[in-house]
Structures are given as structure tokens and as C-alpha cells.
């Protein structure tokens, strides 16, 4: 069994600053679980275009307040602590932080840690 603490990840290459967000990757593909788990801070006042065409992601807000806008229908979904959104259709969306938001994110397939968002907000599939 593995025990991972947030403090073990902070300040390592598993803490990634994406500009509008900082993601602390607790579990990655290398951990062999079949999914990755991230503790991500979305910064207040930011809007990020995201479209994970190669991944499914569930995002559970545990602190803060914001919005997700699904671009196929321009619907605005309020996000507060205790709300989860699941991108079960690889939904293209905008993620807005009204305050800082703390999100627990799960990706299937797992992120390897080497992905960066391209200009379409997409993560490529990376085979290790
Ligand atoms: C909620 C979300 O998708 N934020 C972008 C960062 C992502 N959680 C990551 O790469 O860790």
C-alpha cells in the first residue's frame, strides 16, 4: 500500500503551475492505479478553456466558489464546495474561479505528469 501526503508532493515535479491553476498530483500513471488523483487550486478571477478529448475527468469542489460553462449549450453551472462535475462526454468547457477553488480531480486514463494543455485546452495521450 502507498500513503501519499500533500506535503510530500508540494515543491516537487508533481506540483505543476498551469498559470490559472496549480495542480498537486497525488497519484499519476506511474502509480499503476488506472487513474490519477490531483488536488488542484483554481485561482480566483481566472477563466480556463479546457477540452479533455482523450481523458474522462471528475472534479469535486471541496473549497471555494466558481462556475463551469459547457460550450455545446452555453449553460453556466455554479460550483460550490460539495459539488462534483463529471466530464462524461469529454465536454468542452470554461472553468471560472470566482474565489480560489480547491478541487479533487480524477482522470481516466491517468495523467503521466508530462502533459501540457495545448491551444485547445486538450491534454494529449502520453504513453509511458
Ligand atoms: C479542474 C481541472 O481540470 N483543472 C486543470 C488542471 C488539472 N486538474 C491537472 O492537470 O491537474
Amino acid at each position: 500500500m502507498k500513503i501519499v501526503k500533500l506535503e510530500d508532493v508540494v515543491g516537487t515535479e508533481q506540483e505543476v503551475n498551469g498559470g490559472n491553476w496549480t495542480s498537486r498530483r497525488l497519484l499519476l500513471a506511474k502509480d499503476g492505479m488506472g487513474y490519477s488523483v490531483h488536488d488542484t487550486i483554481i485561482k480566483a478571477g481566472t477563466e480556463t478553456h479546457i477540452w479533455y478529448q482523450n481523458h474522462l475527468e471528475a472534479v469535486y469542489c471541496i473549497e471555494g466558489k466558481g462556475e463551469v460553462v459547457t460550450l455545446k449549450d452555453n449553460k453556466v453551472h455554479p460550483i460550490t464546495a460539495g459539488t462534483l462535475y463529471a466530464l462524461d462526454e469529454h465536454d468542452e468547457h470554461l472553468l471560472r474561479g470566482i474565489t480560489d477553488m480547491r478541487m479533487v480531480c480524477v482522470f481516466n486514463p491517468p495523467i503521466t505528469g508530462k502533459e501540457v494543455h495545448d491551444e485547445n485546452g486538450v491534454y494529449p495521450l502520453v504513453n509511458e
Side-chain angles (χ1 to χ4, degrees):
M1 196 183 81
K2 278 181 186 158
I3 304 281
V4 183
K5 297 190 179 199
L6 185 59
E7 68 202 49
D8 300 335
V9 166
V10 168
T12 72
E13 61 178 18
Q14 285 184 219
E15 181 179 41
V16 174
N17 181 351
N20 289 351
W21 48 265
T22 299
S23 180
R24 294 76 63 92
R25 277 80 180 259
L26 299 164
L27 290 174
L28 288 168
K30 68 177 172 54
D31 296 298
M33 296 294 287
Y35 48 83
S36 56
V37 179
H38 315 200
D39 179 329
T40 300
I41 307 294
I42 308 294
K43 293 178 192 155
T46 62
E47 177 179 271
T48 308
H49 175 219
I50 299 176
W51 192 9
Y52 295 124
Q53 293 174 35
N54 301 310
H55 299 82
L56 296 170
E57 186 194 24
V59 183
Y60 184 53
C61 177
I62 57 170
E63 290 172 18
K65 193 173 156 188
E67 292 173 343
V68 176
V69 184
T70 38
L71 291 181
K72 70 168 184 210
D73 53 10
N74 277 325
K75 215 170 156 198
V76 179
H77 306 268
I79 304 295
T80 54
T83 304
L84 177 144
Y85 63 89
L87 302 166
D88 59 340
E89 295 179 336
H90 302 277
D91 314 66
E92 184 179 11
H93 61 287
L94 301 175
L95 178 58
R96 296 179 181 146
I98 296 174
T99 65
D100 279 2
M101 287 194 292
R102 187 169 176 204
M103 319 293 258
V104 177
C105 313
V106 177
F107 279 81
N108 168 25
I111 294 295
T112 67
K114 300 190 180 80
E115 299 84 353
V116 286
H117 285 192
D118 71 12
E119 66 281 5
N120 296 314
V122 178
Y123 275 160
L125 266 184
V126 176
N127 288 314
E128 290 213 304

